[in-house]
Amino acid sequence: VQLVESGGGLLQPGGSLRLSCAASGHSISSYAMGWFRQAPGKEREFVAAMSWNGDTRYYADSVKGRFTISRDNSKNTMYLQMNSLAPEDTAVYYCAATYYSLPSSQSDSYHYWGQGTQVTVSS
């Protein structure tokens, strides 16, 4: 499975952005998926994850109420809608997929990773 993120960019605080994660090489319809991020000088951290069918979704406390994870299995794609962005959301955002059908906030549960897309929030 190859994962490619897109949609990152530079924007002002309070803005919105939608990241996409397109999968190829294998269907991800039975895989749980997740988003992680890594800010400069910090460890990679969990952002959001969802089950294969979208019924179960987890969010980090820092993004709850602002970010929404979703997927379109017919397009083999996952999304992260980010609203009310703040400078502390600046990071490289990575998507990940796991063989397991239930999501996890632990990065070592994931088997496939994308290369990341930069999100910079600055005035």
Side-chain angles (χ1 to χ4, degrees):
V1 176
Q2 291 79 47
L3 302 175
V4 178
E5 304 92 340
S6 62
L10 171 64
L11 69 164
Q12 293 187 336
S16 297
L17 208 57
R18 188 176 82 155
L19 304 183
S20 298
C21 172
S24 62
H26 194 280
S27 170
I28 58 168
S29 60
S30 64
Y31 290 3
M33 303 285 292
W35 287 98
F36 292 77
R37 67 186 182 186
Q38 188 167 19
K42 294 188 176 181
E43 299 280 321
R44 187 175 297 187
E45 66 174 2
F46 169 73
V47 175
M50 67 189 304
S51 59
W52 69 277
N53 60 0
D55 283 355
T56 302
R57 305 186 194 200
Y58 299 142
Y59 295 93
D61 288 343
S62 59
V63 307
K64 205 171 292 184
R66 300 188 299 123
F67 290 12
T68 302
I69 188 172
S70 62
R71 66 193 296 164
D72 185 340
N73 286 340
S74 69
K75 296 182 178 179
N76 230 25
T77 302
M78 176 179 65
Y79 306 97
L80 185 68
Q81 177 66 43
M82 305 186 294
N83 299 328
S84 301
L85 283 160
E88 52 265 35
D89 295 314
T90 295
V92 177
Y93 284 71
Y94 298 91
C95 68
T98 173
Y99 302 148
Y100 307 120
S101 58
L102 293 178
S104 170
S105 62
Q106 304 301 308
S107 60
D108 58 7
S109 297
Y110 291 84
H111 303 96
Y112 304 103
W113 291 84
Q115 293 300 306
T117 185
Q118 177 71 47
V119 173
T120 302
V121 185
S122 175
S123 55

